[in-house]
Amino acid sequence: MNDFLDNDSFLEDLRADVVAADQSRRLGVVVAGSLSRGLEVRLDRDQRLEDLAVGRYVTIAAGDRIFFGMITDVSLDSTNPAFEKTPPDFSNEFFRQVHMGTSTFGRIHVSPMLVLHRESEADDWNAQPVKTIPGHYSSVCTATAEEVGYVFGREGEGRDADGRRAHYFHIGEPLDMENVKITLNLDRFVERSSAVFGKSGTGKTFLSRLLLAGIIQNKVAVNLVFDMHNEYGWEGTAEHAPSVKGLKQLFPGEVTIFTLDDESSRRRESRPDYTVTISPQDIEPEDVQMLAGIIGLTEPQVGAMYALARRFGKGWLQKFLDDDFIDAEWDGLKGMAEELGQPQQTLAALRRRLDRFRRYDFITDKGEGNSVERILEMLQANRHVVLEFGRYGSDLGAYLLVANYLTRRIHERYVHLTERAFGEKSAEPTNLVITIEEAHKFLEPAVASHTIFGTIARELRKYHVTLLIVDQRPSGIDPEVMSQVGTRVTLALDSEEDIRAVFMGVSGASELRQVLARLDSREQALVLGHAVPMPVVVRTRRYDQNFWAEMGWNDRAALPERGRQSSAELRGERPRRLE
Amino acid sequence: MNDTSPLFGRTLRTGTLTFTFGSTLPHSRQPAFGELVRVPAGAGQVYGVVYDVLTQDDPFVRQVIAASDQLEAEKIADMRERRQSPVEITALAVAYREGGHVYQRIPPRPPATLEPVYGCDDEEVREVLQGWDSFRTILNHAQCPAEELLAACIRHAARCQPAERRRQFLVEAGRELTRQLSADPLRLDAILRRLGGDQF
């Protein structure tokens, strides 16, 4: 796992602790179960069902192994159905004392996730996925903070189970446990495409911003964020606070803000570094094709678009939308239609659909030069790029067009760079993580197969580009893409369909579904997949002043006060702070 | 085990499962239903729970009843004390002592006839009835009112506990019964009802 594992004496204590089944932590005994369905645990008599909750961790000592699992269901049971149908006379306290926990009792369902095992006394312990289950009547205990910390790895840099370098980033605390940090292996998080899901209002953006800050701070990848609602760059909005710091404020030297709408960015005092423009000359039919669903292009219209591009080459769009050009060349659309062999009506409809591009001010020749090149320069210099959409954020067409346009070209360059490196690690580009919101629009089954995002999700880390999908409707995402998503961070979801989609391709999904369905609607998330050793429910880390300070941000307003405190300490007027 | 324990009588008939002893003690000093008694058997001791107390008539009593409607209290008392046949008390063997150990099982050999039968003091009752193995023996005995007997026996054992432990003792016994009788909730309910309450 990590260097934590080398600490054998700790594990000896841990095992002795579990075997002794400390009565205060003991919950009950394993009475039934299977590897596929999980374990049934009968609670001890004095164990109060009300004190338990799904998502809590338990350890089970069995022979020379320690199983680590999660409570995924809680139920009531009795030794005889008659006790349910004709309950004993509970007005009599004696009856209550006798029956409770004896003839009627609670049981919990535990999904075993990991097993700590070693071959012999001399070997190191290692944590592996479970391949068997503990025997009958093994004691089940609540996991201690140390055990949870041990399984997930300590915050900071370390080594993973395969001995690879890993950066463990604190993402939250387990439910019902104080002072325990659940960490995520960031190297694994960026290695494959990842996702943050949750219905609106659950804090997807907060959590994504937190993860991005972790990636930036630990330098595990370089980010490109398509910031649809202008929440990541300079400043974000919050329901209960005036505003929250964006990534640029936390990492001023490492984050560059690009904007599509300079006016909006300046109004928000976002201080963008560059304004992105797209030359109409450069737009290719592939860039427009994925908008088919949004702007209502039919198959024949898409076909006509390719025919136009073949006929006119670069600049086809500009020419096609230019009335004067058409009148001069063909004396109207009819002549053009005849020459291209396309129905006139199709062309007319296509023109009406594409006409909206005229309203996009960012499609212009009067820009600051090639925006794609500029973004690539930044990324290759390991600077993180946040692209704000300004007012275009509410225009899904513009968002899709730009994200797709830029990503296609950036991905192409990464493919080129990777292939040129001929497998030589040092020459390969730094991993790029592209964050997209409303991801199902890019990845719905109808378009995923022919958009660049579908391709990126499917080819994994081959070309060092992965996605961070931020979405509220996982069910809208192509199952094939979904199955390639390595790490899924899921906040509360309502719809049964969405919950099902999150667990696509996950073993033991039916049990975890219970856990997910009962998450609080704020600040609780289920994390599962590549970057965590086992599925975990966390109370997410707050994206607040403390977090910003840990990321290295200094509150300028607080500086004078801190200065005063420091001088007071130096003069001995107040005790030193223990920091 | 205490030599100063009260002598209740001597065995009349014995068998593997039960033994019957005759007692000439006055009515008030006879062992109660559900009480534990001890009788030597070979080198060991057999413990039984009293479940039947039978006072049979004799020719003398019949004559007296037939001869007169009005009996003087003094005469009645006299006749009760000087009976021609003893009161027959039957106990169910639930445990035995051998080599210093108490086993809650049916004794390997029944006591012989005319063996003295003693009562048990609190400490002995606690020792013999600790653990609940004898529950099954009592419940399985067809010739006795098992639910009544078991409840009486548990209450007797509870009375022999220190006062502060009595309540907990009853609850623990109830839980063990609940475990053993989970397949028969009606029977369980009948016994628990006889155990409940603070009357021991």
Side-chain angles (χ1 to χ4, degrees):
Chain A
M1 308 247 335
N2 54 24
D3 54 355
F4 212 139
L5 250 183
D6 301 330
N7 189 348
D8 254 19
S9 66
F10 167 73
L11 264 166
E12 273 308 326
D13 292 349
L14 173 108
R15 217 183 86 77
D17 210 22
V18 176
V19 172
D22 178 1
Q23 286 304 311
S24 65
R25 291 195 293 116
R26 194 182 125 120
L27 294 174
V29 291
V30 175
V31 289
S34 74
L35 184 59
S36 55
R37 293 193 313 274
L39 301 170
E40 290 298 327
V41 176
R42 189 200 148 123
L43 292 180
D44 286 346
R45 179 178 299 117
D46 300 326
Q47 200 59 53
R48 282 159 51 95
L49 212 53
E50 299 86 342
D51 295 341
L52 295 170
V54 289
R56 185 180 288 188
Y57 296 110
V58 297
T59 48
I60 306 163
D64 56 350
R65 289 153 207 243
I66 303 166
F67 289 81
F68 202 85
M70 185 200 271
I71 299 178
T72 49
D73 202 1
V74 185
S75 57
L76 297 171
D77 203 357
S78 62
T79 50
N80 190 323
F83 290 122
E84 294 162 23
K85 298 191 173 63
T86 51
D89 174 15
F90 283 134
S91 62
N92 185 332
E93 183 55 25
F94 175 69
F95 272 62
R96 177 178 289 278
Q97 282 180 312
V98 167
H99 279 285
M100 297 290 260
T102 313
S103 59
T104 55
F105 51 89
R107 61 199 286 167
I108 53 176
H109 190 88
V110 170
S111 296
M113 304 282 181
L114 290 175
V115 60
L116 302 175
H117 176 56
R118 63 176 178 180
E119 289 300 320
S120 72
E121 293 274 317
D123 291 327
D124 283 344
W125 290 85
N126 62 48
Q128 288 172 334
V130 279
K131 293 192 175 65
T132 182
I133 52 172
H136 267 106
Y137 307 124
S138 303
S139 278
V140 180
C141 296
T142 318
T144 61
E146 290 80 28
E147 287 159 357
V148 175
Y150 172 74
V151 163
F152 284 93
R154 265 187 192 154
E155 191 180 11
E157 207 174 323
R159 300 256 160 215
D160 69 4
D162 306 327
R164 291 186 303 171
R165 201 172 65 118
H167 293 85
Y168 292 97
F169 178 64
H170 167 207
I171 49 161
E173 291 82 44
L175 308 183
D176 330 301
M177 269 192 199
E178 299 290 329
N179 304 323
V180 180
K181 292 177 178 176
I182 296 283
T183 60
L184 186 108
N185 182 338
L186 281 178
D187 298 75
R188 281 174 153 251
F189 186 73
V190 301
E191 192 173 68
R192 295 189 190 172
S193 290
S194 302
V196 176
F197 296 124
K199 62 181 180 186
S200 47
T202 49
K204 284 192 299 294
T205 309
F206 271 75
L207 193 54
S208 309
R209 211 162 20 205
L210 191 97
L211 290 165
L212 290 172
I215 294 174
I216 297 174
Q217 193 203 26
N218 288 282
K219 302 187 194 316
V220 289
V222 59
N223 287 296
L224 168 59
V225 182
F226 289 115
D227 186 2
M228 193 173 180
H229 302 299
N230 318 309
E231 295 274 8
Y232 294 90
W234 182 251
E235 204 167 68
T237 51
E239 275 173 32
H240 306 294
S243 66
V244 293
K245 308 260 167 260
L247 297 172
K248 171 114 184 181
Q249 290 197 63
L250 298 186
F251 306 99
E254 292 159 78
V255 175
T256 308
I257 298 182
F258 281 65
T259 182
L260 212 56
D261 180 1
D262 192 43
E263 202 185 308
S264 146
S265 295
R266 295 205 181 278
R267 199 171 52 241
R268 286 180 288 106
E269 297 178 358
S270 168
R271 306 174 204 182
D273 298 284
Y274 299 98
T275 305
V276 169
T277 55
I278 295 174
S279 164
Q281 296 278 338
D282 293 338
I283 295 179
E284 293 171 1
E286 288 86 349
D287 298 320
V288 184
Q289 189 188 354
M290 78 165 295
L291 303 181
I294 309 280
I295 60 179
L297 292 184
T298 60
E299 281 288 321
Q301 287 164 8
V302 172
M305 212 161 57
Y306 279 96
L308 286 164
R310 271 197 303 278
R311 172 69 177 74
F312 301 126
K314 222 165 145 60
W316 65 275
L317 180 65
Q318 214 173 8
K319 287 173 183 155
F320 181 54
L321 295 180
D322 185 346
D323 290 334
D324 297 339
F325 176 76
I326 293 176
D327 287 343
E329 288 279 315
W330 291 286
D331 199 17
L333 205 56
K334 192 173 175 204
M336 188 188 197
E338 279 167 9
E339 194 195 313
L340 285 176
Q342 297 287 339
Q344 189 191 340
Q345 278 173 333
T346 306
L347 290 184
L350 181 62
R351 267 172 65 100
R352 279 198 302 281
R353 304 274 191 279
L354 299 184
D355 208 39
R356 61 155 61 199
F357 290 171
R358 287 180 201 270
R359 295 199 305 275
Y360 295 159
D361 295 338
F362 58 83
I363 301 186
T364 170
D365 275 326
K366 302 188 192 85
E368 301 172 17
N370 190 329
S371 299
V372 176
E373 283 305 324
R374 184 140 288 169
I375 293 174
L376 273 165
E377 271 168 31
M378 290 296 156
L379 296 177
Q380 280 170 15
N382 289 335
R383 281 184 70 92
H384 307 270
V385 175
V386 176
L387 174 55
E388 295 191 336
F389 277 74
R391 67 175 185 275
Y392 297 110
S394 52
D395 183 334
L396 201 56
Y399 179 65
L400 294 186
L401 176 72
V402 174
N404 195 40
Y405 174 90
L406 295 175
T407 306
R408 275 187 61 215
R409 286 154 182 79
I410 290 165
H411 177 255
E412 206 172 285
R413 180 65 63 85
Y414 266 74
V415 170
H416 176 70
L417 288 173
T418 308
E419 285 177 347
R420 208 179 55 186
F422 289 117
E424 195 188 316
K425 283 275 172 228
S426 58
E428 285 178 355
T430 317
N431 273 351
L432 168 64
V433 176
I434 300 180
T435 303
I436 44 171
E437 294 190 306
E438 298 287 336
H440 66 272
K441 299 285 182 196
F442 300 96
L443 298 169
E444 60 189 10
V447 297
S449 54
H450 47 246
T451 71
I452 185 60
F453 295 101
T455 312
I456 293 175
R458 277 192 303 272
E459 61 189 24
L460 302 173
R461 57 187 162 141
K462 204 154 98 192
Y463 297 113
H464 299 277
V465 183
T466 55
L467 299 177
L468 174 58
I469 295 165
V470 182
D471 202 279
Q472 52 186 323
R473 275 205 52 221
S475 61
I477 293 174
D478 186 17
E480 202 195 327
V481 171
M482 202 65 186
S483 66
Q484 302 295 345
V485 173
T487 309
R488 297 164 204 191
V489 181
T490 312
L491 297 140
L493 284 171
D494 275 344
S495 138
E496 200 44 51
E497 266 185 323
D498 289 332
I499 293 177
R500 215 176 9 252
V502 168
F503 292 113
M504 198 163 285
V506 175
S507 65
S510 60
E511 293 147 16
L512 290 172
R513 210 167 281 165
Q514 296 298 325
V515 177
L516 180 55
R518 277 156 189 81
L519 288 185
D520 279 2
S521 63
R522 291 194 75 86
E523 297 185 347
Q524 285 191 6
L526 172 71
V527 188
L528 63 141
H530 199 51
V532 281
M534 58 182 273
V536 51
V537 178
V538 293
R539 199 170 51 245
T540 53
R541 189 175 177 182
R542 292 243 165 121
Y543 187 81
D544 57 9
Q545 299 252 355
N546 291 338
F547 177 78
W548 304 333
E550 280 170 46
M551 292 294 115
W553 176 77
N554 276 328
D555 187 354
R556 279 169 196 277
L559 280 179
E561 174 55 24
R562 281 175 61 174
R564 266 193 297 280
Q565 283 180 10
S566 301
S567 20
E569 277 165 17
L570 282 174
R571 288 198 299 270
E573 289 168 9
R574 51 173 286 156
R576 277 190 81 81
R577 283 166 293 169
L578 294 171
E579 283 180 25
Chain B
M1 214 166 57
N2 196 333
D3 287 334
T4 61
S5 304
L7 176 68
F8 286 138
R10 289 189 177 270
T11 48
L12 284 170
R13 291 182 296 281
T14 71
T16 302
L17 301 180
T18 61
F19 56 90
T20 303
F21 57 95
S23 173
T24 53
L25 289 177
H27 187 262
S28 61
R29 285 170 52 199
Q30 285 166 8
F33 179 70
E35 195 173 327
L36 193 70
V37 294
R38 160 168 57 86
V39 54
Q45 311 279 331
V46 168
Y47 292 94
V49 177
V50 171
Y51 76 84
D52 191 32
V53 180
L54 176 69
T55 311
Q56 283 188 322
D57 60 345
D58 58 36
F60 200 57
V61 172
R62 287 186 200 179
Q63 270 184 10
V64 170
I65 292 174
S68 166
D69 288 344
Q70 305 225 321
L71 285 175
E72 293 155 26
E74 204 176 310
K75 191 159 188 179
I76 292 176
D78 182 58
M79 287 194 64
R80 279 181 182 160
E81 270 178 43
R82 300 167 200 272
R83 286 179 49 77
Q84 284 195 323
S85 61
V87 173
E88 290 181 21
I89 301 173
T90 308
L92 177 66
V94 293
Y96 65 95
R97 185 190 295 271
E98 208 170 73
H101 290 285
V102 172
Y103 304 92
Q104 289 196 31
R105 298 174 206 157
I106 290 172
R109 273 169 296 280
T113 50
L114 296 176
E115 289 285 10
V117 179
Y118 298 100
C120 301
D121 62 18
D122 289 359
E123 195 186 332
E124 195 169 12
V125 171
R126 287 201 295 270
E127 184 191 3
V128 174
L129 292 182
Q130 71 171 330
W132 319 106
D133 299 355
S134 52
F135 284 10
R136 221 55 227 173
T137 316
I138 298 175
L139 288 171
N140 286 341
H141 193 65
Q143 271 77 49
C144 69
E147 289 97 4
E148 293 280 2
L149 178 60
L150 185 55
C153 175
I154 293 172
R155 280 204 309 273
H156 170 60
R159 273 193 301 274
C160 296
Q161 305 292 323
E164 68 281 4
R165 255 198 57 74
R166 282 178 193 163
R167 174 81 186 179
Q168 187 56 28
F169 180 86
L170 283 181
V171 169
E172 281 166 17
R175 285 174 179 164
E176 176 58 24
L177 276 172
T178 308
R179 206 176 69 78
Q180 293 194 17
L181 287 178
S182 64
D184 192 351
L186 292 179
R187 201 172 190 199
L188 171 67
D189 203 56
I191 302 174
L192 291 182
R193 279 180 191 287
R194 285 161 174 78
L195 281 186
D198 291 325
Q199 319 299 316
F200 294 103

